[in-house]
Amino acid sequence: MKDDPQDRGDERKIHPTPLLDELEDGPWPSFVTGLKRLRDEGSESNRKIMNDLLGQLNHSYENRMGYWKGGTVSVFGYGGGIIPRFSEVADKFPESKEFHTLRVMPPAGYHYTTEILRKMCDIWERHGSGLIAFHGQSGDIMFQGCTTENTQKAFDELNEIGFDLGGAGPALRTAMSCVGHARCEQSCYDEVRAHRTIINKLLDEMHRPALPYKFKFKFSGCANDCVNAIHRADFAVIGTWRDDIKINQEKVKEHIAAKGRKYTIDTVVSMCPTRAISLNDDDTIEIDNKSCVRCMHCINVMTKALSPGDDRGVSIMIGGKRALKIGDLMGIMVVPFMKLETDEDFEKLEDFAERVVEFFADNALEHERVGETIDRIGLPAFLEALDIEPDPNMVNHPRTSCYVRTDDFDEEAEKWFERKAREAGLQISAE
Ligand code: SF4
């Protein structure tokens, strides 16, 4: 039988939570169960805090009112990273009257050791409520439920084990990168390095909020985009390749032998958005690589038979975000392809990121995301400001709407091919 705090002779009164109890019904895990576990089995101080937190939450549900208000809480040397929460019903629920959240930056790629996780739990048991969320929507580790007095103590100890606060408010926000090439065979670049390079370079913008509004970087190793970069990041770096998809015909045959031709046609050939795949009579496949838009679908289905090409790099999209002034935006293609292998490549990425953030700081209105700035001033002005040449590969949607104007397109295309040929010639002579 579950340990009942009242049976333990615990003197505190357990707040009844009839409305929250409803949320434990059904097949899915419930956050209420987690909170109750801390209330019933946590350390003494964690139990008290959670009891009052649950009481306040149930009270909120009864009255359909939120009782948290903001304020200002920070740690020495930082202007952001703490989300202050003060209770308006502290007289009824005193133990959770201050319930601030520390946003802490996770390691790039979310790689932890169990030792570090245990240390984090110990710190939060000492100074906070015991409640930690891996990871919040912002990408941060959310250490939830701390008093103003303990905020600095918790931060100092987290800092000692190598962690730093993330972003909040009008600032560079905590970045996210997928697990990437450490674990995933589809990865097209070193996401972790790109993530660390850019965030280390721009860290001041995170700790001392001075931007017009939030600015987010996200790094996905391939077009599967496991960290939702294209629609959540102001600056999305997504891995891709520009040569041919690699095909292992033996594995293709094995796949077809195991699953059947019909299955392969239904799930791979006819699902290719550009009809670039054909299945031969001898159970091999062909891909028209000029038509392929690198969507990853066929590779996801036939993971052993197909894989990204060898000439890998990244595309950069700017301006993705959720609803705000002009509704949801997908990032717009600004750098169709760049290599990201050598130190020099990473320096170029770092420099470009810095220039985009500077542009944002100088030109965005208050409370405006960079996608909205581009919408307001027009894409040509943005490209000009960043000294980016228009390129036919800059598209809104693959193969449907190139945003380079198509009147006089032949002449423009001619110039583009000439420029590419010149660049190729320069590269060859430089080599
Ligand atoms: Fe078609 Fe996408 Fe495969 Fe390219 S990656 S061949 S577009 S399914």
Side-chain angles (χ1 to χ4, degrees):
M1 200 181 116
K2 212 170 175 186
D3 184 20
D4 183 342
Q6 304 284 31
D7 293 344
R8 288 199 302 249
D10 198 329
E11 282 174 14
R12 77 212 151 100
K13 177 176 166 297
I14 298 294
H15 296 293
T17 53
L19 295 178
L20 298 183
D21 298 347
E22 295 286 320
L23 298 178
E24 292 185 281
D25 277 352
W28 309 110
S30 165
F31 73 97
V32 175
T33 310
L35 295 182
K36 283 185 181 172
R37 196 161 61 227
L38 262 179
R39 178 196 67 186
D40 299 341
E41 299 165 22
S43 70
E44 196 179 336
S45 77
N46 289 171
R47 292 205 305 263
K48 285 181 186 161
I49 297 170
M50 279 304 142
N51 182 33
D52 274 8
L53 180 83
L54 284 160
Q56 172 167 338
L57 193 55
N58 197 72
H59 183 59
S60 276
Y61 280 24
E62 273 165 8
N63 298 338
R64 301 181 187 191
M65 290 276 290
Y67 290 108
W68 297 114
K69 59 183 174 181
T72 309
V73 178
S74 58
V75 294
F76 289 117
Y78 288 69
I82 314 286
I83 315 295
R85 288 290 177 267
F86 294 93
S87 170
E88 289 176 326
V89 283
D91 53 331
K92 287 193 177 65
F93 308 102
E95 297 291 342
S96 59
K97 66 179 179 185
E98 292 173 354
F99 206 81
H100 314 317
T101 294
L102 270 69
R103 282 189 176 168
V104 172
M105 267 195 280
Y110 298 131
H111 299 276
Y112 297 94
T113 60
T114 46
E115 190 195 352
I116 277 291
L117 293 172
R118 283 180 206 286
K119 282 183 181 166
M120 285 179 170
C121 293
D122 290 345
I123 291 169
W124 204 237
E125 199 171 293
R126 274 198 297 281
H127 300 301
S129 70
L131 180 65
I132 310 177
F134 287 86
H135 301 86
Q137 183 62 52
S138 62
D140 293 278
I141 316 165
M142 308 290 273
F143 287 83
Q144 292 168 312
C146 191
T147 60
T148 308
E149 188 195 345
N150 281 354
T151 302
Q152 183 73 48
K153 294 178 197 164
F155 168 68
D156 288 343
E157 289 197 23
L158 287 166
N159 211 212
E160 268 166 35
I161 60 169
F163 286 81
D164 198 357
L165 284 187
L172 178 67
R173 294 299 188 83
T174 302
M176 291 166 86
S177 50
C178 64
V179 70
H181 70 313
R183 304 282 310 259
C184 176
E185 60 205 336
Q186 320 300 13
S187 162
C188 292
Y189 70 104
D190 186 343
E191 311 81 4
V192 177
R193 180 174 175 187
H195 179 162
R196 283 188 64 87
T197 302
I198 289 183
I199 295 306
N200 285 347
K201 177 78 183 176
L202 297 168
L203 201 57
D204 275 357
E205 300 293 350
M206 188 179 292
H207 291 156
R208 280 161 274 285
L211 296 177
Y213 198 34
K214 60 178 98 161
F215 194 97
K216 299 179 182 177
F217 285 91
K218 294 190 196 297
F219 304 85
S220 282
C222 72
N224 282 326
D225 196 7
C226 291
V227 293
N228 307 333
I230 182 85
H231 55 290
R232 302 306 289 265
D234 300 275
F235 192 111
V237 184
I238 301 181
T240 189
W241 66 97
R242 62 181 169 185
D243 57 346
D244 297 348
I245 289 185
K246 291 197 283 189
I247 307 175
N248 181 332
Q249 297 291 8
E250 285 311 309
K251 295 288 178 194
V252 172
K253 286 181 185 170
E254 278 174 26
H255 181 93
I256 294 171
K259 304 275 186 180
R261 279 178 72 84
K262 180 173 177 347
Y263 179 90
T264 308
I265 292 168
D266 288 350
T267 57
V268 182
V269 178
S270 58
M271 297 299 277
C272 170
T274 55
R275 302 286 179 267
I277 308 175
S278 50
L279 183 58
N280 297 323
D281 292 342
D282 63 352
D283 286 352
T284 58
I285 60 171
E286 276 171 40
I287 295 182
D288 171 15
N289 283 281
K290 279 207 180 78
S291 297
C292 167
V293 291
R294 280 73 176 156
C295 77
M296 294 295 295
H297 174 76
C298 59
I299 297 176
N300 292 337
V301 182
M302 303 176 82
T303 42
K304 291 197 166 59
L306 303 174
S307 47
D310 289 322
D311 190 6
R312 300 178 183 193
V314 298
S315 300
I316 299 177
M317 273 69 60
I318 305 284
K321 62 167 199 64
R322 279 304 318 275
L324 194 62
K325 294 189 178 70
I326 59 170
D328 294 10
L329 291 178
M330 291 283 205
I332 194 158
M333 177 69 77
V334 166
V335 178
F337 187 86
M338 76 179 272
K339 291 293 279 183
L340 201 49
E341 284 170 3
T342 63
D343 291 351
E344 204 181 310
D345 296 336
F346 279 93
E347 274 166 29
K348 271 191 210 154
L349 177 71
E350 195 179 303
D351 172 65
F352 182 61
E354 207 172 10
R355 286 193 292 125
V356 174
V357 172
E358 265 171 28
F359 169 87
F360 177 61
D362 292 346
N363 295 286
L365 300 177
E366 207 173 313
H367 214 257
E368 182 180 70
R369 298 284 290 269
V370 71
E372 287 156 342
T373 313
I374 295 173
D375 186 75
R376 180 169 54 78
I377 65 170
L379 191 60
F382 175 75
L383 296 179
E384 204 177 315
L386 288 170
D387 202 16
I388 300 170
E389 292 246 22
D391 181 320
N393 293 310
M394 293 169 168
V395 290
N396 273 339
H397 304 287
R399 301 182 74 81
T400 53
S401 51
C402 169
Y403 64 65
V404 175
R405 285 183 62 155
T406 52
D407 41 344
D408 299 327
F409 190 75
D410 290 346
E411 291 80 13
E412 288 304 317
E414 199 64 38
K415 281 190 225 158
W416 183 79
F417 282 117
E418 276 169 19
R419 195 173 75 240
K420 287 286 154 192
R422 260 200 322 278
E423 282 169 11
L426 284 178
Q427 272 172 15
I428 288 163
S429 61
E431 280 162 10

